[in-house]
Amino acid sequence: MGIPKAVDVEVVGEAPFRLRVPAQGDMRVDGVVFTSHELLPDPAEDGSLQQVVNVATLPGIVEASYAMPDVHWGYGFPIGGVAATDVERGGVVSPGGVGFDISCGVRLLTADLDRSELPIERVMDGLDRAVPRGAGSGAVWQLSGRAELERVLLGGSRYAVERGHGEDRDLERCEDGGVLAGADPGQVSARAVERGLEQVGSLGSGNHFLEVQAVDEVLDDVAAAAFGLAPGQVCVMIHTGSRGLGHQICTDHVRIMDRAMRAYGISVPDRQLACAPVESPEGRAYLGAMAAAANYGRANRQLLAEAASDVFERVTGQRLSLLYDVSHNLAKIEEHEIGGERRRLCVHRKGATRALPPGHPDLPPALRDAGQPVLIPGSMGTASYVLRGVVGGGAFHSTCHGAGRVQSRKQAARAITGGALRKRLEGQGIAVRGASARGLAEEAPEAYKDVDAVVAAAEGAGLCRAVARLVPLGVVKG
């Protein structure tokens, strides 16, 4: 299915940075878009608002079909979409509500260095050699075979640390302690296993990156102190996911659910929303495979973080410390209050980040008073942000995940060459290590929304609070 064009979706202003799409037709709930009119996608060019409407028709959906300020068209669900279904009342799980890059997420590491002390070119040369990237195979960790891969699928970052790739403190700073419960390697196909065997500890391609950054501005002194951030401090941000294994798992289970829907009496307006009841055999199988891919993604970032820390230690004498690691492509079983009643929900976040408020029991003690760190990568050459969750935040404690595309990769590559973009970035003092000129061009900053405006909209909507603004010093791209 191509991108739906020229849809007629009614959008009503409801509050600052909150627009509503009233329920109509087969919609079971309203659509709610946290954004400004300036950031709102053009329905003639981007079908994401129609996708917000489509998601609102899913069986068991509660509260609203939500979209974040970085919303844009995706597979089935919009990227930047959040939807929760009631597990005990016919709620479904949809692989399209997670996406192909299961557990794609961000890890932020900090160095005890000021940007003025950093020999950036030497560091970037070391990272260029140490970080496998691109669309194919090649990884930091050479697994012995399927049996060891299954231990990764079950244990995630925890298994990586047990094997000496990191330290116990890392697990305290990972969402879910670095391992998502419920993984079932038996639901992972042979083809997915084949794709995953040679990619643990690799960056991939597309919008994935490893970036050396510096804290440009502290926006919340108390939270920044709790997070260990200070002006001028050097950081490393890693953005990647579950690589080919996660992509194959999504492909496999979309097909399974597409065949199963009729048996459950489910009809959806877009076959990319293929789904099954959470408690059905198909629903449980997908969630088990998805959790396995999530653990793979977390182990992947753990290995890349270790590789980056080794480079920093060789060049600067300083190792990196993990601030936090969080996914933005997951479906999780969570309890939330709906209509004054605690209910068990399957919360889909696709291109949206969990943002737990201060005091939440799932946060580690060192971060509980400040709230969960939320990591927002910008487009290449622009700022990134550290946010935090807030009390009363909406959409099941969720917020944006990045800048959000406004151009396809083909459009971006037509607008600028990789060589010209590299020259421009280096003119801005950003050291670039790219695997291909085409890959650089596809990720040009012009292909994305203004991340400053996206974060302002998310904060203005009451979803989060900005803690620090980071700027790039060097970028490694696939």
Side-chain angles (χ1 to χ4, degrees), residues 104-417:
C104 185
V106 185
R107 174 173 286 226
L108 186 67
L109 304 114
T110 60
D112 188 18
L113 290 167
D114 185 84
R115 63 183 299 175
S116 63
E117 304 171 298
L118 185 70
I120 185 63
E121 292 295 338
R122 289 175 57 207
V123 166
M124 294 306 298
D125 286 343
L127 292 172
D128 191 28
R129 291 189 293 269
V131 177
R133 56 201 188 274
S137 300
V140 173
W141 196 0
Q142 303 303 312
L143 301 180
S144 59
R146 175 164 184 146
E148 187 168 33
L149 175 61
E150 289 193 357
R151 289 192 282 274
V152 172
L153 300 183
L154 289 167
S157 292
R158 187 173 301 279
Y159 176 66
V161 169
E162 288 172 358
R163 289 296 309 275
H165 302 294
E167 56 188 45
D168 288 341
R169 179 188 176 279
D170 294 344
L171 303 177
E172 298 171 4
R173 295 301 184 104
C174 289
E175 181 183 16
D176 307 312
V179 55
L180 185 59
D184 184 355
Q187 303 301 333
V188 178
S189 70
R191 175 59 180 146
V193 167
E194 180 185 352
R195 297 181 70 178
L197 274 171
E198 298 181 348
Q199 293 184 336
V200 185
S202 62
L203 200 57
S205 56
N207 64 344
H208 297 153
F209 64 80
L210 184 151
E211 195 166 274
V212 180
Q213 303 171 335
V215 178
D216 180 58
E217 186 178 8
V218 167
L219 305 164
D220 180 332
D221 291 332
V222 174
F227 293 171
L229 295 172
Q233 185 176 13
V234 173
C235 303
V236 173
M237 181 175 280
I238 300 171
H239 175 212
T240 190
S242 53
R243 301 293 323 275
L245 178 135
H247 193 286
Q248 190 65 46
I249 285 172
C250 182
T251 299
D252 294 339
H253 287 268
V254 165
R255 289 172 182 161
I256 292 168
M257 291 192 178
D258 187 44
R259 293 194 297 266
M261 281 192 294
R262 181 176 295 180
Y264 296 108
I266 295 173
S267 176
V268 292
D270 179 355
R271 290 183 67 179
Q272 293 180 359
L273 290 175
C275 58
V278 174
E279 298 284 30
S280 68
E282 295 84 2
R284 290 194 296 270
Y286 170 70
L287 287 172
M290 183 211 69
N295 291 333
Y296 184 98
R298 292 165 183 195
N300 188 29
R301 291 192 291 275
Q302 181 73 31
L303 268 292
L304 289 170
E306 182 188 40
S309 194
D310 288 347
V311 170
F312 266 75
E313 186 173 36
R314 285 197 302 270
V315 175
T316 72
Q318 300 281 347
R319 290 194 68 79
L320 301 170
S321 296
L322 178 59
L323 193 159
Y324 204 65
D325 181 294
V326 64
S327 300
H328 49 235
N329 283 356
L330 277 182
K332 301 183 81 168
I333 306 301
E334 302 173 358
E335 283 196 0
H336 292 272
E337 187 170 304
I338 303 292
E341 178 186 357
R342 295 294 291 181
R343 286 155 70 175
R344 198 161 66 100
L345 307 179
C346 180
V347 184
H348 302 73
R349 295 183 181 90
K350 179 181 180 177
T353 310
R354 201 181 195 196
L356 299 178
H360 197 284
D362 287 353
L363 291 173
L367 299 174
R368 196 163 293 157
D369 289 345
Q372 181 206 306
V374 179
L375 310 174
I376 307 296
S379 55
M380 186 168 49
T382 68
S384 296
Y385 279 84
V386 179
L387 316 176
R388 66 174 178 86
V390 295
V391 174
F396 313 104
H397 304 313
S398 307
T399 190
C400 55
H401 88 304
R405 291 194 80 98
V406 293
Q407 292 180 356
S408 70
R409 289 186 168 87
K410 287 183 179 179
Q411 288 172 324
R414 285 198 298 265
I416 191 170
T417 66

Side-chain angles (χ1 to χ4, degrees), residues 438-449:
R438 171 81 184 199
L440 288 176
E442 290 177 349
E443 296 301 314
E446 295 86 346
Y448 288 84
K449 299 179 185 181

